Amino acid sequence: MTHRDCDNALLTQVRNAAQTVLSMSETFTFSYLEKCLPAEALQKVQKVILTGCGDSYCIGVAARPCFESEGAYPGFQAEALRNIEAARYYRTYAGWGEKKAEDHLICAVSITGSPVRPREALARINQLGGISVAFTDNENSLFAREAKYAVRINVPQDHYKPGVTDEECPGMTSYIAGCYAVMMFGLYMCVCKGLMTKQQAEEQRQAAIEYARAFTPELIDDLEEKAFRFAEKLQADGFDCMDFIAEDQEFATAFFASAKMVESFGAVTTHDDAEDWCHINYFNRNPARIATFLMANPSSPSFSRDQETATCAVAIKRPLAIICEDTADGLPEQAWTFKMPTPKYRWINALLQHIPMDFIAAYLGIFRRQMPVGISSELHERDAACARFKKSEQVFVEEL
């Protein structure tokens, strides 16, 4: 069997990943954002909070650099918070002061608009006089209606996403679309505040498009074939868990990929940065049975530590996959290295660098003959889980 003999809905999404970016670039434009959220509404904003649940939280981590992007000096204070932290904890110790949240904007992401907690985070900022923005594909949801401004992402309908076809699987198309949308929102905000010119923003948008175009069908096929072989090795040798290592924006890529492993076949995963890994997970027992994934981009400030981590991992016989820009060197030959196109701006990596790990998740799900966890057991059945999320109580914390 070769990789060309396999197919499922997740594989289809990964194979179409670059096209998803190109499709979004045609519909999700700066002029579209201006219609959704006029520039004058953003003039008071000094602090941006990005939040969401699961993959949507990763979107915030991935997109945060765009609010502080090159050319945007001094840029926004931008922070990606886990949803429960944005809804229940943010500034509960420090308090708000007289102006409260007048200079705050919260951007919450939920493709379905179903979970309660993102809505709660929006309502909290509304009560404090801030600006709430919902990125979603469900404009009729309570989540969208809670926001002062709702932005429809318009996930490409011709690429699989949950709810569009009868075959349900881990979502990837919606993640790429969400990342692109919030990244463009970051650039748009910088333009609106005079921190970046329209020409600078458009140049960065074009750089993202050129990055997607670099993922030619031949490159995608090469990455898939190598991912297939790595997945075959993991399946043959056996593994107990998976360990993902990354920092800063790359952490979103690693976290998202770990979620696809969980959703595809129920993997047990951990994730950490390269520094803490050397202090903690390095000492995990049975290292040869821990499938390990490391993000190691030369453009990253932590690349030297990533190189040291890779050397340590292969020394203790970890099965190691390294995902990196194609300019990377100084990495151990024993590792499975997936070299990806190098974008003009580092933040663009987060759009597509997860591709090899997504392929591996899909193939391990096929090899293990498992349906995605969300529909393979009554306990984790998706509709029932969503029903429980919707019934979660909406709570407002007492503000100082």
Side-chain angles (χ1 to χ4, degrees):
M1 183 172 68
T2 71
H3 68 287
R4 293 192 177 93
D5 299 319
C6 301
D7 195 23
N8 66 12
L10 180 53
L11 285 175
T12 299
Q13 291 179 89
V14 188
R15 291 163 180 164
N16 288 332
Q19 186 57 47
T20 298
V21 175
L22 298 177
S23 295
M24 286 296 297
S25 72
E26 295 175 0
T27 59
F28 203 95
T29 61
F30 293 136
S31 59
Y32 172 74
L33 274 167
E34 189 173 9
K35 293 177 182 177
C36 298
L37 210 165
E40 54 267 23
L42 304 172
Q43 295 311 305
K44 289 185 178 180
V45 177
Q46 299 295 327
K47 177 66 181 285
V48 177
I49 300 170
L50 304 162
T51 193
C53 300
D55 292 353
S56 296
Y57 164 68
C58 294
I59 288 173
V61 177
R64 179 190 57 78
C66 291
F67 295 83
E68 307 167 343
S69 191
E70 295 176 55
Y73 181 81
F76 287 96
Q77 294 181 29
E79 191 172 1
L81 294 179
R82 294 176 185 270
N83 205 191
I84 194 71
E85 293 173 353
R88 303 282 180 92
Y89 290 92
Y90 182 69
R91 295 193 69 88
T92 54
Y93 296 110
W96 289 95
E98 291 183 5
K99 292 186 177 181
K100 295 189 176 180
E102 288 181 6
D103 61 353
H104 279 57
L105 179 146
I106 186 165
C107 173
V109 182
S110 174
I111 304 298
T112 65
S114 297
V116 172
R117 213 61 56 221
R119 187 169 88 240
E120 190 177 283
L122 295 176
R124 185 177 177 220
I125 288 294
N126 287 341
Q127 281 191 329
L128 291 162
I131 298 175
S132 56
V133 182
F135 274 68
T136 185
D137 251 14
N138 186 354
E139 294 170 295
N140 297 318
S141 64
L142 292 174
F143 168 69
R145 294 204 294 267
E146 186 67 59
K148 290 184 180 178
Y149 300 95
V151 180
R152 184 176 178 85
I153 296 173
N154 289 312
V155 177
Q157 294 296 308
D158 56 343
H159 303 167
Y160 174 79
K161 67 169 184 173
V164 171
T165 71
D166 293 332
E167 182 183 3
E168 298 211 6
C169 76
M172 177 187 173
T173 299
S174 56
Y175 176 74
I176 296 173
C179 278
Y180 183 86
V182 180
M183 287 170 172
M184 293 303 107
F185 180 49
L187 299 180
Y188 170 72
M189 283 194 65
C190 289
V191 172
C192 291
K193 289 282 287 183
L195 305 172
M196 177 186 291
T197 66
K198 290 183 179 180
Q199 291 76 18
Q200 287 173 318
E202 179 59 25
E203 193 272 333
Q204 294 202 30
R205 189 183 81 90
Q206 287 297 327
I209 294 171
E210 290 307 311
Y211 175 70
R213 287 176 177 158
F215 285 81
T216 62
E218 293 77 17
L219 175 59
I220 292 288
D221 189 66
D222 288 345
L223 291 171
E224 181 174 0
E225 190 274 334
K226 191 168 188 176
F228 175 83
R229 288 191 288 113
F230 185 66
E232 271 192 323
K233 174 178 171 54
L234 292 180
Q235 179 68 7
D237 295 347
F239 63 93
D240 299 322
C241 63
M242 294 181 149
D243 202 4
F244 293 79
I245 308 167
E247 303 81 40
D248 195 60
Q249 186 197 27
E250 282 83 13
F251 183 80
T253 301
F255 194 170
F256 173 76
S258 75
K260 299 310 106 178
M261 304 293 181
V262 174
E263 294 167 1
S264 185
F265 60 93
V268 176
T269 67
T270 61
H271 28 72
D272 209 339
D273 61 72
E275 182 60 36
D276 270 359
W277 183 89
C278 292
H279 293 270
I280 302 172
N281 283 17
Y282 171 84
F283 299 102
N284 286 341
R285 67 177 64 192
N286 300 325
R289 293 186 60 83
I290 304 175
T292 306
F293 300 85
L294 172 68
M295 306 297 300
N297 290 320
S299 63
S300 168
S302 62
F303 182 60
S304 63
R305 191 51 162 163
D306 295 332
Q307 290 172 308
E308 294 164 354
T309 300
T311 300
C312 289
V314 298
I316 59 175
K317 309 301 182 186
R318 289 270 195 122
L320 176 65
I322 300 174
I323 293 84
C324 60
E325 296 161 342
D326 55 14
T327 54
D329 56 16
L331 298 169
E333 294 181 358
Q334 303 95 313
W336 291 64
T337 302
F338 294 83
K339 290 197 171 186
M340 316 282 277
T342 300
K344 184 173 183 179
Y345 300 99
R346 183 162 61 93
W347 61 264
I348 298 173
N349 274 320
L351 281 171
L352 296 173
Q353 263 201 340
H354 44 83
I355 282 177
M357 296 178 284
D358 300 330
F359 273 134
I360 292 165
Y363 280 117
L364 286 172
I366 291 171
F367 296 159
R368 295 185 167 212
R369 301 178 184 275
Q370 286 187 305
M371 292 290 287
V373 171
I375 55 177
S376 63
S377 71
E378 293 182 4
L379 177 63
H380 298 104
E381 197 274 322
R382 193 175 78 99
D383 291 338
C386 286
R388 287 196 292 272
F389 297 151
K390 291 174 184 176
K391 292 176 182 176
S392 180
E393 182 183 2
Q394 185 165 322
V395 174
F396 296 100
V397 298
E398 185 176 347
E399 307 291 355
L400 298 176

